[in-house]
């Protein structure tokens, strides 16, 4: 059954027939205008300035520390300080912490760690709070935010050198296994921040130590650099026969999602997990360095460009715009004049980039605001996702009123040359030669690319050009090596696998990896702003909701901001964590990457990300869910002001929210990783009607975000049909400008053989079989292997002594008759089985 027509959306009129008759067709434009007018009023101005955003591993140091705490926790800063001062006065007389010599400070920390070894939970918590106050920078003795951050870093190095982290790790194990706290939280109708006090204190100390020690500065003394490398090694490898620290945090995530520990402060767990993975494996820039090193080790040519620098140098393009689309009926000349003008111009414009500029000047000659077909397809997508993707909005092209239309169209400035060097795969060269041989000779030579006998001269030149731009990836080499190891396991011997932090993490995650991925996606779904509250969804607000709910309007506003901020931080940590894992596993071995990717796809990661982007993404990126006076370390230096509506709405003065833009880019990169070169997954993007959703994200004028949106649109253009391409020429032109070209990739026309959607399920099944073979060969090593040596000498086998039962010789003849003589031997079957 079709959904009933929605007034004002351009849907079919309710007059009984499919087309709606002549009157229905005349009424449709008015309906669309009304719909767009409503959209314009709800979304506000569509003009978005270019966002000055610098992508990196993380936000600024102070911002990353402040996101650890919710605003509900601000009262605990005073509690931590009181616990420290009470303990400090009993141990040191007449001095403050900053006045002590380093040796005296170390002695006091040793005393604190000794006092943690008590049975009383209450006394242990007070000492842990004193340690947390040190890690927070002893803010009671500081005069500025800079001082707080400086002493926080100094104290964290001091705490690590005295063995604080390992002590707190033992306490964390105790709290995770604390069945009393779990059962108490399970009995409560609503879990609050009070149920996770001990865990929050422990995780906060550990996070502050990881984040402060991870941060590298040129002025760091030699002892700090040594401590940083030692700490990285401890976190990366299994110390004292224990699993790596990241695996413990993963187990906390799965325990939380299973409902066995609803009181776990999941935001702190996820933040710590992300920072531990980034600290032990390396961030995005370190990944680029590792990639260059690995290519050199494999004997591959160096990369043509540094992708990070290329993206940083890009400029944002104007979106498939409202302003320029707006007056097509008024500003564009009649079709006959337009054709004549194009004809005269084409004689003058011969270069490809000149043609592109001409197309841009032509007021997007074929890019219309939104056809009925496109709007209906968006409605079909809503039904297709069947509740998984809640398409609340139709295609977002909303022209402003004619009175606001500028008379001169904004020109797009083109860079000289394309930003990316083109790439060609070995498969592309083989495919090109196969087609050429079939056309000119009438037969093929398989995968041979060396001989060009019988082919005309232009084909020789084409093959030469393709080979000049041939790109061999690390993944290609790894897949080829894996195929050889599968074919010749005996002659090639056992593979030597280096024990890198990434390899050790994968080995530890391997058998529980599906549960880890499902748990992370469950939390991401609960934190997405487009998610609707459901009774069966997990409660991710346990570490932000106070014991007593707010009673005034201001308190409710503050809690609302805190909850939204809390969700944004969770989305940021999960999106970056998943992206880092995928990129590191892909560099370590392609089948490790594919294993994680498949489980993400099976857990509906693709529709989940599309669901996330099915919102007013510009509003999400510019949201101001922060109260600057309550952020750490500002709240520790100044007296907390009395909350007013003005102070709550003040926020910061930046034009966008860094963490939200960072999250959006990471989710787009994640979606690119999952769908690249996977036709079955690309078809999922098409089936879920992702094109209007992604196109809406182009409103954000930020080059990196636009690049990854355009990549996702490029891979599915061949499936979207000629009408879509014709109606979105500005988007097609932006793809041409910004996305890397693959020679003989027919993405813009859809004639490629890969565009024919047959047997996509077989593609996934083949990939899964390869992954299972890789995991089995490398990680499942039974003692009685099928490749163990076999003794084939008859005399040697018969000469072996076997331990037989004492009474065997009494029943030997009976056994011989029953087991040997009376059993028929089918020699043909025996030969077939062997």
């Amino acid at each position: 059954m079709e959904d009933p027509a929605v007034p004002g959306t351009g849907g079919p009129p309710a007059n009984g027939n499919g087309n709606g008759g002549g009157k229905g067709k005349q009424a449709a434009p008015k309906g669309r205008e009304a719909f767009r007018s409503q959209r314009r009023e709800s979304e506000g101005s569509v003009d978005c300035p270019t966002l000055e955003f610098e992508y990196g591993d993380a936000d600024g140091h102070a911002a990353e520390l402040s996101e650890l705490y919710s605003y509900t926790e601000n009262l605990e800063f005073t509690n931590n300080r009181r616990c420290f001062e009470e303990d400090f006065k009993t141990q040191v007389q007449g001095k403050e912490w900053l006045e002590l010599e380093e040796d005296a400070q170390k002695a006091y920390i040793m005393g604190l760690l000794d006092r943690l070894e008590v049975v009383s939970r209450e006394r242990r918590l007070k000492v842990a709070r004193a340690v947390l106050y040190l890690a927070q920078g002893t803010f009671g003795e500081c005069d500025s935010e800079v001082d707080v951050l400086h002493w926080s870093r100094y104290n964290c190095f001091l705490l690590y050198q005295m063995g604080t982290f390992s002590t707190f790790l033992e306490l964390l194990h105790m709290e995770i296994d604390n069945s009393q706290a779990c059962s108490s939280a399970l009995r409560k109708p609503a879990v609050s921040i009070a149920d996770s006090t001990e865990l929050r204190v422990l995780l906060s100390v550990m996070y502050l130590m990881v984040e402060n020690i991870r941060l590298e500065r040129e002025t760091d003394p030699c002892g700090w650099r040594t401590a940083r490398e030692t700490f990285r090694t401890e976190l990366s490898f299994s110390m004292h026969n224990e699993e790596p620290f990241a695996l413990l945090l993963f187990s906390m995530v799965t325990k939380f999602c299973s409902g066995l520990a609803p009181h776990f402060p999941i935001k702190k767990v996820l933040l710590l997990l992300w920072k531990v993975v980034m600290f032990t494996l390396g961030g995005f820039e370190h990944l680029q360095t590792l990639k260059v090193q690995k290519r050199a080790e494999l004997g591959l040519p160096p990369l043509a460009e540094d992708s990070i620098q290329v993206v940083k140098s890009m400029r944002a393009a104007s979106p498939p715009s409202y302003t320029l689309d707006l007056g097509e009926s008024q500003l564009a000349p009649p079709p006959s004049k337009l054709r004549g003008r194009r004809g005269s111009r084409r004689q003058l414009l011969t270069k490809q980039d000149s043609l592109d500029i001409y197309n841009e000047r032509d007021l997007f000659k074929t890019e219309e605001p939104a056809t009925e077909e496109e709007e209906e397809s968006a409605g079909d997508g809503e039904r297709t996702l069947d509740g998984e993707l809640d398409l609340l909005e139709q295609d977002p092209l909303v022209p402003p009123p004619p009175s606001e239309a500028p008379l001169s169209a904004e020109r797009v400035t083109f860079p000289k040359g394309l930003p990316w060097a083109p790439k060609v795969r070995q498969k592309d060269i083989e495919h090109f030669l196969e087609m050429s041989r079939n056309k000119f000779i009438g037969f093929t030579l398989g995968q041979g690319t060396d001989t060009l006998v019988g082919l005309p001269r232009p084909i020789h030149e084409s093959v030469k050009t393709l080979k000049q731009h041939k790109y061999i990836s690390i993944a290609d080499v790894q897949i080829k090596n894996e195929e050889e190891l599968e074919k010749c396991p005996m002659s090639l011997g056992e593979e030597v696998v280096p024990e890198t932090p990434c390899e050790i993490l994968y080995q530890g995650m391997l058998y529980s990896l599906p549960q880890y991925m499902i748990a992370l996606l469950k939390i991401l779904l609960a934190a997405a702003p487009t998610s609707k509250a459901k009774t069966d969804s997990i409660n991710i607000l346990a570490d932000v909701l106070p014991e007593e709910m707010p009673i005034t309007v201001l308190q409710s506003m503050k809690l609302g901001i805190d909850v939204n901020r809390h969700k944004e931080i969770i989305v940021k940590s999960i999106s970056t964590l998943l992206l880092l894992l995928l990129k590191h596993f892909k560099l370590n071995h392609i089948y490790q990457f594919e294993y994680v990717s498949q489980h993400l796809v099976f857990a509906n990661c693709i529709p989940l990300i599309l669901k996330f982007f099915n919102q007013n993404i510009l509003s999400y990126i510019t949201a101001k869910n922060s109260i600057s006076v309550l952020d750490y370390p500002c709240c520790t230096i100044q007296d907390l002001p009395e909350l007013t509506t003005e102070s709550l709405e003040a926020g910061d003065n930046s034009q966008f929210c860094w963490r939200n833009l960072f999250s959006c880019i990471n989710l787009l990169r994640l979606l690119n990783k999952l769908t690249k070169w996977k036709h079955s997954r690309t078809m999922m993007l098409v089936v879920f009607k992702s094109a209007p959703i992604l196109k809406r994200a182009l409103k954000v004028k930020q080059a990196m975000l636009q690049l990854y949106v355009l990549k996702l649109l490029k891979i599915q253009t061949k499936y979207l049909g000629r009408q879509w391409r014709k109606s979105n020429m500005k988007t097609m032109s932006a793809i041409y400008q910004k996305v890397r070209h693959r020679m003989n990739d027919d993405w813009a026309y859809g004639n490629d053989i890969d565009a024919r959607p047959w047997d996509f399920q077989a593609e996934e099944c083949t990939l899964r079989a390869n992954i299972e073979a890789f995991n089995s060969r490398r990680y499942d090593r039974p003692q009685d292997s099928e490749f163990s040596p076999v003794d084939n000498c008859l005399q040697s086998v018969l000469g072996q002594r076997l331990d037989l039962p004492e009474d065997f010789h009494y029943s030997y003849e009976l056994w011989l008759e029953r087991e040997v003589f009376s059993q028929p031997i089918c020699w043909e079957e025996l030969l077939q089985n062997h």
Side-chain angles (χ1 to χ4, degrees), residues 18-247:
N19 295 327
K23 291 183 179 180
K25 286 188 177 180
Q26 290 175 4
K30 292 182 180 179
R32 287 202 300 273
E33 286 299 323
F35 166 71
R36 289 177 184 133
S37 176
Q38 292 171 5
R39 282 283 307 278
R40 181 171 58 254
E41 290 172 6
S42 65
E43 293 188 2
S45 174
V46 295
D47 294 330
C48 171
T50 301
L51 304 181
E52 298 297 328
F53 171 80
E54 186 173 348
Y55 187 83
D57 289 334
D59 203 350
H61 185 52
E64 291 295 333
L65 294 182
S66 71
E67 289 180 354
L68 175 65
Y69 311 103
S70 62
Y71 296 143
T72 315
E73 291 179 271
N74 277 5
L75 295 175
E76 296 189 10
F77 285 113
T78 309
N79 200 0
N80 298 340
R81 179 179 176 180
R82 188 183 69 252
C83 289
F84 171 81
E85 289 175 348
E86 288 174 0
D87 186 90
F88 191 73
K89 287 176 182 176
T90 62
Q91 305 298 321
V92 181
Q93 302 295 329
K95 284 190 176 182
E96 292 188 336
W97 171 259
L98 300 184
E99 297 173 354
L100 295 180
E101 298 291 332
E102 184 176 339
D103 291 339
Q105 290 175 338
K106 288 181 177 179
Y108 175 70
I109 291 174
M110 284 297 293
L112 276 179
L113 298 182
D114 288 340
R115 288 188 287 281
L116 278 173
E117 305 288 337
V118 293
V119 177
S120 170
R121 282 173 61 85
E122 187 178 347
R123 289 174 58 193
R124 198 163 61 230
L125 178 61
K126 284 187 176 181
V127 178
R129 283 191 179 280
V131 176
L132 177 56
Y133 176 72
L134 286 174
Q136 288 170 340
T138 52
F139 47 82
E141 302 173 30
C142 298
D143 299 324
S144 66
E145 296 178 26
V146 177
D147 287 347
V148 174
L149 295 176
H150 167 76
W151 287 108
S152 173
R153 200 155 175 266
Y154 171 85
N155 291 343
C156 282
F157 272 100
L158 205 60
L159 288 168
Y160 171 69
Q161 290 166 358
M162 302 313 296
T164 307
F165 192 87
S166 56
T167 303
F168 271 66
L169 184 57
E170 292 175 8
L171 293 173
L172 182 62
H173 275 287
M174 288 171 54
E175 286 300 324
I176 292 171
D177 297 332
N178 185 355
S179 57
Q180 185 179 354
C182 293
S183 58
S184 173
L186 285 168
R187 285 195 301 269
K188 287 189 175 182
V191 183
S192 71
I193 199 168
D195 297 300
S196 59
T197 304
E198 290 84 359
L199 277 169
R200 284 187 294 106
V201 170
L202 298 176
L203 290 168
S204 295
V205 171
M206 298 171 98
Y207 178 85
L208 288 168
M209 291 179 70
V210 170
E211 181 63 15
N212 278 308
I213 296 173
R214 181 188 70 83
L215 182 68
E216 297 183 24
R217 287 185 178 156
E218 295 181 359
T219 56
D220 289 347
C222 184
W224 285 15
R225 297 175 193 271
T226 307
R228 180 180 299 116
E229 294 307 314
T230 308
F231 192 30
R232 181 184 281 119
T233 305
E234 285 183 11
L235 293 175
S236 304
F237 299 98
S238 304
M239 306 297 289
H240 310 297
N241 296 322
E242 291 184 358
E243 59 189 4
F245 183 51
L247 291 180

Side-chain angles (χ1 to χ4, degrees), residues 548-615:
E548 298 178 1
M549 295 306 287
I551 53 175
T552 66
V553 175
L554 282 175
Q555 288 175 346
S556 299
M557 286 176 64
K558 176 190 167 187
L559 183 59
I561 292 171
D562 204 3
V563 166
N564 290 336
R565 174 177 175 267
H566 180 81
K567 290 182 176 180
E568 290 172 0
I569 295 167
I570 287 176
V571 171
K572 170 187 169 184
S573 56
I574 293 179
S575 61
T576 319
L577 171 64
L578 288 174
L579 182 61
L580 273 175
L581 287 174
L582 283 180
K583 288 183 76 68
H584 275 286
F585 287 151
K586 187 175 184 180
L587 189 60
N588 198 50
H589 199 287
I590 182 63
Y591 284 138
Q592 295 177 350
F593 161 80
E594 296 291 5
Y595 186 55
V596 179
S597 298
Q598 272 208 336
H599 281 294
L600 286 172
V601 173
F602 294 158
N604 283 331
C605 185
I606 291 175
L608 171 54
I609 295 176
L610 293 176
K611 183 185 177 87
F612 180 89
F613 279 94
N614 187 37
Q615 59 171 313

Side-chain angles (χ1 to χ4, degrees), residues 185-441:
L186 285 168
R187 285 195 301 269
K188 287 189 175 182
V191 183
S192 71
I193 199 168
D195 297 300
S196 59
T197 304
E198 290 84 359
L199 277 169
R200 284 187 294 106
V201 170
L202 298 176
L203 290 168
S204 295
V205 171
M206 298 171 98
Y207 178 85
L208 288 168
M209 291 179 70
V210 170
E211 181 63 15
N212 278 308
I213 296 173
R214 181 188 70 83
L215 182 68
E216 297 183 24
R217 287 185 178 156
E218 295 181 359
T219 56
D220 289 347
C222 184
W224 285 15
R225 297 175 193 271
T226 307
R228 180 180 299 116
E229 294 307 314
T230 308
F231 192 30
R232 181 184 281 119
T233 305
E234 285 183 11
L235 293 175
S236 304
F237 299 98
S238 304
M239 306 297 289
H240 310 297
N241 296 322
E242 291 184 358
E243 59 189 4
F245 183 51
L247 291 180
L248 175 65
L249 298 174
F250 269 119
S251 68
M252 290 184 72
V253 173
T254 52
K255 192 173 181 181
F256 172 80
C257 285
S258 66
L260 298 175
H263 65 297
F264 279 3
I266 197 61
K267 184 189 80 173
K268 286 181 167 55
V269 174
L270 290 169
L271 281 173
L272 182 54
L273 177 56
W274 163 36
K275 293 302 172 64
V276 167
V277 169
M278 184 163 66
F279 183 34
T280 54
L281 304 187
F284 297 118
E285 291 193 4
H286 182 64
L287 262 165
Q288 190 72 9
T289 308
L290 290 176
K291 189 175 182 181
V292 171
Q293 291 175 358
K294 190 140 191 174
R295 289 186 67 83
E297 290 171 6
L298 295 172
L300 297 174
L303 296 167
E305 71 273 300
D306 185 342
S307 57
I308 295 175
Q309 297 306 319
V310 173
V311 172
K312 282 183 178 179
S313 64
M314 280 186 174
R315 286 189 294 176
S318 297
S321 175
Y322 312 87
T323 346
L324 289 167
D325 285 341
L326 60 93
E328 204 162 317
S329 60
Q330 300 162 355
L331 295 179
S336 58
K337 293 184 180 180
L338 197 60
R339 280 197 296 271
R341 191 177 69 183
R342 284 178 196 154
S344 61
R345 274 187 176 275
R346 274 203 194 95
Q347 297 171 4
L348 299 173
L349 300 171
T350 56
K351 293 185 180 179
Q352 181 64 48
D353 54 352
S354 301
L355 285 170
D356 289 337
I357 294 171
Y358 166 67
N359 286 340
E360 293 297 332
R361 286 175 180 165
D362 199 8
L363 288 176
F364 317 125
K365 54 185 182 297
T366 55
E367 184 159 3
E368 298 174 0
T371 61
E372 285 185 58
E373 180 185 339
E374 202 169 304
E375 288 180 357
E376 288 171 9
S377 73
D380 293 340
E382 185 173 356
R383 293 187 287 274
T384 305
L385 285 165
D386 195 24
E388 182 61 39
L389 246 179
D390 186 16
L391 285 177
L392 300 176
E393 299 171 305
Q394 302 287 333
D395 193 79
L397 296 177
V398 186
S403 60
E404 296 176 12
L407 294 177
S408 60
E410 177 189 350
R411 289 191 181 183
V412 179
T413 56
F414 282 73
K416 293 182 179 179
L418 297 170
W420 304 98
K423 287 181 179 179
V424 180
R425 298 179 296 168
Q426 176 70 18
K427 177 183 173 183
D428 299 330
I429 301 175
E430 292 169 3
H431 179 57
F432 175 74
L433 277 173
E434 183 183 356
M435 292 176 60
S436 301
R437 285 169 180 151
N438 272 327
K439 181 177 180 181
F440 294 104
I441 305 175

